[in-house]
Amino acid sequence: MMFMWLAARQRPDFRTINRFRSERMKDVLETVYTSVLQLLIDENYVKLEHDFVDGTKIEANVNRYTFVWGQAKLSSNRR
């Protein structure tokens, strides 16, 4: 809710968010990430016994129009 208030109920495009991160946050993003991670460790919210970064994307099959997108996916995979 606070983010919605800060953004004046605007919904920025993913390109806008990415441009903001790459142009304005580039110098401080690592510092912020490290500080937040250290705070979580200090408060015993996380343990760094195992640290993984996962970028797995799984396609869901829950839409009645899936067959339409199936052909698009197959042609995209062929490229």
Side-chain angles (χ1 to χ4, degrees):
M1 295 302 274
M2 292 184 291
F3 294 112
M4 291 173 62
W5 181 81
L6 285 173
R9 295 183 98 33
Q10 296 178 8
R11 296 184 181 124
D13 185 25
F14 71 94
R15 289 178 190 89
T16 305
I17 294 170
N18 192 33
R19 189 171 46 249
F20 176 79
R21 288 188 329 192
S22 65
E23 292 174 2
R24 297 185 181 209
M25 296 291 292
K26 179 175 32 175
D27 298 332
V28 297
L29 199 56
E30 184 176 348
T31 305
V32 170
Y33 176 77
T34 305
S35 299
V36 169
L37 186 60
Q38 189 61 50
L39 175 71
L40 293 173
I41 292 169
D42 293 343
E43 297 294 323
N44 294 321
Y45 285 110
V46 295
K47 297 178 183 175
L48 291 183
E49 295 169 356
H50 304 287
D51 188 19
F52 299 98
V53 176
D54 187 11
T56 302
K57 296 179 182 175
I58 301 171
E59 181 180 354
N61 189 10
V62 295
N63 192 330
R64 65 181 173 165
Y65 300 109
T66 302
F67 69 93
V68 174
W69 302 111
Q71 288 297 334
K73 182 182 173 215
L74 289 175
S75 64
S76 175
N77 285 343
R78 283 187 221 133
R79 290 185 217 161

